[in-house]
Amino acid sequence: LFQLEMEADALVNFQHYSSQLPPFYESSCHILHVEVLQQLTDLIRNHPSWSVAHLAVELGIRECFHHSRIISCANNRENEEGCTPLHLACRKGDGEILVELVQYCHAQMDVTDNNGETAFHYAVQGDNAQVLQLLGKNASAGLNRVNNQGQTPLHLACQMGKQEMVRVLLLCNARCNVMGSAGYPIHAAMKFSHKGCAEMIISMDSNQIHSKDPRYGASPLHWAKTAEMARMLLKRGCDVNNTSSSGNTALHVAVMRNRFDCVMVLLTYGANADARGEHGNTPLHLAMSKDNVEMIKALIVFGAEVDTPNDFGETPAFIASKISKLVTRKTLLTLLRTVGADYRLPVTQGPPSEQCSSTTHHSFSLERSQPPPISLNNLELQDIVHISRSRKPAFILSSMRDEKRTHDHLLCLDGGGVKGLVIIQLLIAIEKASGVATKDLFDWVAGTSTGGILALAILHSKSMAYMRGVYFRMKDEVFRGSRPYESGPLEEFLKREFGEHTKMTDVKKPKVMLTGTLSDRQPAELHLFRNYEAPESVREPRFSQNINLKPPTQPSEQLVWRAARSSGAAPTYFRPNGRFLDGGLLANNPTLDAMTEIHEYNQDMIRKGQESKVKKLSIVVSLGTGRSPQVPVTCVDVFRPSNPWELAKTVFGAKELGKMVVDCCTDPDGRAVDRARAWCEMVGIQYFRLNPQLGTDIMLDEINDTVLVNALWETEVYIHEHREQFQKLIQLLLAP
Amino acid sequence: LFQLEMEADALVNFQHYSSQLPPFYESSCHILHVEVLQQLTDLIRNHPSWSVAHLAVELGIRECFHHSRIISCANNRENEEGCTPLHLACRKGDGEILVELVQYCHAQMDVTDNNGETAFHYAVQGDNAQVLQLLGKNASAGLNRVNNQGQTPLHLACQMGKQEMVRVLLLCNARCNVMGSAGYPIHAAMKFSHKGCAEMIISMDSNQIHSKDPRYGASPLHWAKTAEMARMLLKRGCDVNNTSSSGNTALHVAVMRNRFDCVMVLLTYGANADARGEHGNTPLHLAMSKDNVEMIKALIVFGAEVDTPNDFGETPAFIASKISKLVTRKTLLTLLRTVGADYRLPVTQGPPSEQCSSTTHHSFSLERSQPPPISLNNLELQDIVHISRSRKPAFILSSMRDEKRTHDHLLCLDGGGVKGLVIIQLLIAIEKASGVATKDLFDWVAGTSTGGILALAILHSKSMAYMRGVYFRMKDEVFRGSRPYESGPLEEFLKREFGEHTKMTDVKKPKVMLTGTLSDRQPAELHLFRNYEAPESVREPRFSQNINLKPPTQPSEQLVWRAARSSGAAPTYFRPNGRFLDGGLLANNPTLDAMTEIHEYNQDMIRKGQESKVKKLSIVVSLGTGRSPQVPVTCVDVFRPSNPWELAKTVFGAKELGKMVVDCCTDPDGRAVDRARAWCEMVGIQYFRLNPQLGTDIMLDEINDTVLVNALWETEVYIHEHREQFQKLIQLLLAP
């Protein structure tokens, strides 16, 4: 068993052992094996302060617990940890022993150890949820007891991420609303990014989604460290702009922690990119020190103003100008300048040290050496001063109804899949500059594919900022897997946004048309989904009436979501919607067809004697989804090969040719724009084509946040570079 | 050897044999074998009138010919056929025997047999051209001797189609211009459709291509029985409208003989479909009795007037109305009516029998029972009387220069491969109705692909009737084999028609633009080949200047044929021309781009202070290459298959989808037309879209004459049905 060096030690040990061993001898039906004895003596040596009950738990022999001496020690906590045998059993996860302790020994479940932890705390830290279940069968105050660290068993389970434990605790009616030292259990789950635990708590008590922690007054969303955790809360309806005690939103925290993915989720769920937090800092102020260009771009494209001063009168650019690392400083200043950042001298001409110290008031330290004070003569600062404040609207007008206008305005939105985000960004800029919602700026809206969806969003008064968030959120679901994608997510999205039973004519203004391609015939024909009656055609029918082809659905019967689905049925991306394919096959840029339709509509009105209702078209605004960079093509040659090398070349040529044909068919820029411009100029219509040049070729089904944020960034740069054109457009749109 | 029944016969035979056999015994170095004897006796029995020289020739033993008795019989013709041994040798084709006869026996070559045939005639009928060659080494009158049927050896060779014989005869200077009873040798070659013989004769004596036969005064072309024979002559420059003694052209003959393929060749080489022949009949008159709808259609679409009276005042419709077979009669009358045939009462109110007998004056009998006289109250006739004479121009104006016009006219020509024939037919109708050449009716001409080629043809003053013939003739060469076709024939054609070194700016009026697709970049760009300087662009360049992309050639340096080649480089039909593909990928209907170009051109002129030169566009004429019938499409679905049936379905769907995308890309009808019409109406421009509905889908590379004639026929019907529109168009085009 073991060997001793000194006789005196042997004597002491003998006395100790002779008092500990008998209950095991006496309660056993058999002679104890040498192995059991060895284990027993080891335990005694290692835990000299344990009672025989503790030893029995560790040994795991059930018969022991009927012995009177062990029973008498059932609640003994006179040991180093101050834990009872029940604590040990719970930690060990031995359900049988636990039953013996509770039933025969009458062990109490609310006894705490030196850390203030009950058996429930120990069970949570074990591996067997069944133990917890057994404990929970009897109501006990120990279930919600707070330990010395200020944690209930639920806190502990959430922190450790033990979903099964959380589930059992909740089933035993453990309270979610016990305030711990760091907040409620959900805060622990969030802090340690245990999604399942958080979800269960919210399911049990939905109020927990808004709960504040005691130290920072922060909501669970503030504590989210990952995109997934944030998304989980937001999907369940938590307030994305909830503020902590210091006035910071979750976005502030995510920026300070340099969590780009979290930032994206918050922004796409409607976080206010311009929210003023502690010391009046916006997230952009905080982002300046993170050296994360992606995050800065994301904040700006989602609406962060680049020249908002904080409580010290510092703008983000000013803060950037104080960054000690030269490369970073120049990068950030250049970045801000490209979108029209303005330099404003601090309101308070305080000493630099005070300005520098402003950020140290943040609840989280910058953990970075302070940049040295720099002269106000810094070149960048001098340059910035002269940049115009083009991104501020010169005036704000109240909403105008189209009845006051003497001429019609037409808005045309190209197709382009997820690149519809570019259109959204352009529309947000127009709305911001004009102070008027898109719906009230235009009398006609034409859209193809993603442009069609946005046209319907405008018709149904959805804000473009909201649509921007939705696009970012939906893209991962809509474009999941490989092509062709399941239609389910897209259709669910459309039904949710527009209603499952909404008809096209339910909302009549502005007039909206979506392009679709009738693909049940060759040649295919363009079909317009309208929220008004189609103009009657007076010209001879192009084809003799084909009795076998079904006529289209009337606008008053046409479901909105189905029209959107049809317009966006891009071949090989989604399956056709019945007989409809994406309108982009015939009119990816719908301007020419919209003008044709308006002309025919007006002619029809005149023929019906309603000439007084006819208004001339005066403005056409055509928004693109971004122009891909032009690249050289080396070979579109398709020929009969005479050797293997030529075979490879002709196969490559055929592939390139196929791509070129699709491009020629669906290019919304190029000829369509030249034709529309010439048409408008001939007729005396003001024509605006807004289509940013993108730096990379972005696919219709792109889902990478960084790529998309960059596209929006390039759109913002485009808007700034063309600010004069924008201002002219706004003036024209607002003129009576 | 043989057996005789009667002793008396034996005695007679003995005497005969004893006089014939010795020369063979005496001239032989060996004992004659039994086989030789057998052959010899057989010959003697079969040809009792032959001399020993004839026997020697047939026997083929050379030594015989040194025998004095044989030599003395060398020119003996005292036999049933009256032929000499030389005749036999020639027919047999035995060159060695021939040499013996000529050199040792001094056989004469100009001796004739009972049919008046010389040895040359016999040689021609043999199988060995070498014999003829040997004969020809010595000049002899027999070479050109006419036999009793009025044939020289050359006539005979041509009739029999023995090309090698003809070649040798011509090398021996046989005369091509010996008049036989049926004409010159070439007439015989033509009559029996021996192309090679005819070709050799024409190569030897090119005047033969115009030679007339003595009986009908017909040229070789009249005698052509097949398309191939006719084409051969026409390619060598014979006069397609040459008339015979009775005034008939080759077309009259081909129609009378019901040779559709010949008719097509003649028409495509410029035969006058309205030529008046014997009794003033046009080919259409003659066609009425042939019950060949195809041929009738072909004549009409190539310009035959349906209401031309003959010398008896009969129109083709009148003749058709007298056909006794009711079904045929109704068919033909309906056919004629659809293109505006007019009924004219005969000028001479003669008795019906005289009218009926008019056709019997033809040189070829109708070989059909005469239809019974019918009442003038026949319904068809009554109906026809009221049909307007829409195909006759109401007025003929002299040529107008565009300087007199105050507004510009634009002509736009779609692409469509060989279907450009439809455009040609439409233009011919416009020219006929207006009395003015297309070139002088329009100030701007825009074309794509086949429309581009026609635009250049207009620019270079080629008549549309000529182009129609060229298209029919070239299609079999240009579209030979399978796709992609060799570019050689097309390029040769373009160089021949437009000149190998002609530049675009060599002819400046009217202004012409051809569309092409710059395919060395993605996205591809539209390029216009112009015969004027391009307008300067004031808008921002669409893409940053890509230094690697070569700028286009200037109009003053651009070769015309190369521009045409580029515009027509339809992918998978022809290989790209350098970096250019068919303009149809971006602008198969060039109207919108032409209007854009004109607008930009005018803006450029205004900017350069030449506003006085700017003319407003007042008329746009857009000609299509025929509209294919619309057909239902069952499946364009492309999805991930989960079983073999679905795999088959998705493959089919992918194929249909690909076809649909190409159609959407290149459809010149449909949206392009609606857009152009709306644009023109908005601006106050008269817009005419002329595009016949075709009954079948015709491919770009169709080469079947019947199919193409039918397409042109449908175009003629379309022209008649839309005659009011045509008249309005003509009036507008001719108005100052």
Side-chain angles (χ1 to χ4, degrees), chain A residues 482 520-522 525 542 575-576 586 593 599 627 630-631 633 637 640 663 671 674-675 681, chain B residues 482 520-522 525 542 575-576 586 593 599 627 630-631 633 637 640 663 671 674-675 681:
Chain A
S482 59
D520 59 347
R521 60 202 70 185
Q522 188 106 22
E525 282 182 16
R542 177 167 291 115
R575 297 176 69 168
L586 287 169
D593 295 294
H599 172 70
R627 188 190 300 150
Q630 194 180 46
V631 293
V633 170
D637 202 355
R640 207 172 298 107
D663 267 13
R671 298 314 300 165
D674 293 340
R675 296 168 182 165
E681 286 180 1
Chain B
S482 60
D520 60 346
R521 60 202 70 184
Q522 187 106 21
E525 282 182 16
R542 177 168 290 114
R575 297 176 68 167
L586 288 169
D593 295 294
H599 172 70
R627 188 190 300 150
Q630 194 179 47
V631 294
V633 170
D637 202 355
R640 207 172 299 107
D663 267 13
R671 296 316 298 165
D674 294 340
R675 296 168 182 165
E681 287 181 0

Side-chain angles (χ1 to χ4, degrees), chain A residues 84 152 199 223 247 288 323 361 393 441 496 554 581 604 626 630 654 666 690:
Chain A
T84 66
T152 63
E199 283 174 332
W223 286 92
M288 288 300 114
I323 292 172
H361 289 293
L441 286 173
R496 182 171 61 242
Q554 291 296 312
L581 282 175
D604 193 40
Q630 194 180 46
T666 62
L690 306 175

